[in-house]
Amino acid sequence: MAASPAYALIATDLDGTLLRGDDTVSGRSLAALARVARAGVRHLVVTGRPAPRVRPLLAHLGCTGLAVCGQGAQVYDAGSGRLLWSVRLDRELAEEALGKIEAEVGQVFAAVDQDGVDGRTLIEPGYRMPHPTLPAVRVGRRDDLWREPISKVLLRHADLSDDELAAVARAVVGSLATVTMSGPGTVELQPAGVTKATGLALAADRLGITAEQALAFGDMPNDIPMFDWAGRGVAMANAHPELMAVADEVTLSNEDDGIAVVLERLFPDSPTDRPALQHAPVTYGSGDGQYAL
């Protein structure tokens, strides 16, 4: 079947978008993505999660191509298991940015995603993971966060909301880093100038696909650059107001198969071509490090 004349690429965020609240992908969403693949259209995961935290999900989805990870700082090739492109956040600049933020709001709690396909997520004392099912390693003090190259810093504050913390960080960090908000309890510092759009543009160029041929789905302000780049941006019903304000369309929530609703409309399928897909959550890891897909 020939590719849709309108879209050659479907770019989906994960948390709050393709994934449900329990970190699973519904059977209906899997069927819709299979329908897109049969139409000759590429599907790219574009996520804030670093490559090591995405590999099991890509394997479950049967993805052997590219994925954009780490808020656009990484372009990962699932087929070869290697990073095709990666940008590190300078650790001295990260420390300086943290100092500026704490000078304004008092103590913040920090974590980092290490660079590389085997990089770990390190959390300092007092930091609480926004996704408790994702594996992380607790270190003894903040200095331990900087011992290996990193791709980003994650921040939390005991009293400020995500919106308040992000606003302060943007005001004081300046050109030291890019500030993003990618989900509840997830304000992040990443390399200056790096966004989901920069990573997605690199991946699309490698595939020979233009921005006008891309359809993007998301739910948080970190998806705004991706919406600005893509030909069309679709926000979930559960999306942050800042993303809804720039979206071309609002679909149902991630819990109500919002992505599938749009893809079924854009890529009609014949009844005889529909596979019977069933999906039960699959758990990876063990103990405190287990997480379900």
Side-chain angles (χ1 to χ4, degrees):
M1 184 181 297
S4 164
Y7 302 109
L9 174 66
I10 307 299
T12 63
D13 173 48
L14 288 180
D15 298 289
T17 302
L18 180 61
L19 297 181
R20 297 180 290 192
D22 60 358
D23 270 8
T24 62
V25 182
S26 74
R28 184 177 179 184
S29 292
L30 288 172
L33 292 174
R35 175 184 299 199
V36 165
R38 289 194 299 275
V41 175
R42 301 279 192 146
H43 170 225
L44 260 66
V45 166
V46 184
T47 178
R49 298 192 188 194
R53 305 287 85 81
V54 179
R55 284 185 294 180
L57 174 58
L58 297 176
H60 180 70
L61 291 175
C63 295
T64 58
L66 305 183
V68 178
C69 307
Q71 303 292 12
Q74 301 171 329
V75 176
Y76 174 69
D77 183 353
S80 66
R82 62 189 181 94
L83 290 171
L84 302 183
W85 185 75
S86 179
V87 179
R88 295 174 177 176
L89 175 59
D90 183 278
R91 286 167 281 179
E92 291 186 2
L93 294 182
E95 286 190 276
E96 183 179 349
L98 273 178
K100 288 179 176 292
I101 294 169
E102 289 188 320
E104 294 292 325
V105 301
Q107 184 180 16
V108 298
F109 300 103
V112 301
D113 285 335
Q114 293 180 324
D115 186 42
V117 293
D118 296 313
R120 302 176 298 169
T121 298
L122 306 182
I123 58 178
E124 71 173 350
Y127 184 88
R128 181 168 53 87
M129 286 288 288
H131 296 285
T133 56
L134 292 178
V137 177
R138 189 170 296 281
V139 298
R141 55 181 185 160
R142 179 170 291 181
D143 286 349
D144 295 329
L145 298 177
W146 320 121
R147 297 196 181 280
E148 300 291 338
I150 63 174
S151 61
K152 67 179 178 180
V153 178
L154 301 91
L155 305 175
R156 302 197 75 164
H157 192 276
D159 301 312
L160 295 180
S161 69
D162 298 330
D163 289 291
E164 290 169 334
L165 179 57
V168 171
R170 290 189 184 105
V172 301
V173 165
S175 62
L176 295 175
T178 296
V179 178
T180 61
M181 181 170 54
S182 60
T186 314
V187 175
E188 302 179 359
L189 306 178
Q190 59 200 66
V194 171
T195 67
K196 283 190 174 184
T198 58
L200 180 55
L202 283 169
D205 182 67
R206 191 177 183 92
L207 297 172
I209 297 172
T210 65
E212 292 74 19
Q213 296 173 297
L215 172 66
F217 292 87
D219 74 307
M220 291 299 290
N222 65 321
D223 295 313
I224 291 175
M226 179 169 68
F227 277 28
D228 289 341
W229 180 85
R232 187 172 182 82
V234 180
M236 314 305 290
N238 50 289
H240 190 282
E242 289 182 18
L243 186 69
M244 283 195 176
V246 301
D248 298 298
E249 178 181 348
V250 177
T251 185
L252 299 183
S253 74
N254 60 320
E255 300 291 345
D256 295 320
D257 296 308
I259 288 179
V261 168
V262 175
L263 295 183
E264 289 165 359
R265 183 187 79 228
L266 295 175
F267 300 92
D269 218 354
S270 65
T272 58
D273 200 26
R274 295 172 188 165
L277 289 179
Q278 300 294 328
H279 175 63
V282 180
T283 301
Y284 295 83
S286 60
D288 292 337
Q290 72 178 16
Y291 50 108
L293 300 175

